[in-house]
Amino acid sequence: MSSAIARAIASVTGVSPIVCGKPSRELGASLRTRLGGGNGRVVIVGDATQAEMVLARGMDAMSVLVLSGATHADDLPGLPPDQQPHWVAQDVGELVDQLRPIIP
């Protein structure tokens, strides 16, 4: 949500908005609550290191980067620690193939 829209809504309603987009702390807290906590019990899968990987690290979740979108393999070495994924797959199909042997 743009700040102009948020200000307009706040002006009309008298309530300050809470922005919950990726990678906000509020979104991470909501996901932890709804999905049962952090400590590696939740996995965030995405293609953008500045959104999904930061969200995962911020909520103490595992992060899986798929290289079929915004991020490419040659981008990985230069990423800051909060954007480094725990696991990398070429695409979601490869991720499913990697998980089949370990998921009953």
Side-chain angles (χ1 to χ4, degrees):
M1 173 184 321
S2 76
S3 60
I5 293 171
R7 285 193 306 272
I9 292 170
S11 174
V12 170
T13 64
V15 177
S16 296
I18 298 173
V19 178
C20 293
K22 294 182 288 185
S24 74
R25 289 184 185 154
E26 290 80 6
L27 177 59
S30 176
L31 289 171
R32 266 194 313 275
T33 299
R34 293 183 68 133
L35 299 174
N39 301 322
R41 295 188 56 191
V42 174
V43 178
I44 303 293
V45 178
D47 68 344
T49 61
Q50 292 179 332
E52 290 91 6
M53 301 310 109
V54 171
L55 174 63
R57 295 279 183 176
M59 60 182 281
D60 194 27
M62 296 294 295
S63 59
V64 177
L65 177 67
V66 289
L67 299 174
S68 55
T71 306
H72 300 93
D74 56 344
D75 298 329
L76 296 176
L79 292 175
D82 68 331
Q83 293 182 29
Q84 289 287 341
H86 292 98
W87 197 341
V88 178
Q90 289 300 310
D91 53 37
V92 174
E94 180 180 276
L95 175 59
V96 170
D97 290 343
Q98 291 174 354
L99 292 174
R100 273 189 194 160
I102 61 173
I103 295 180

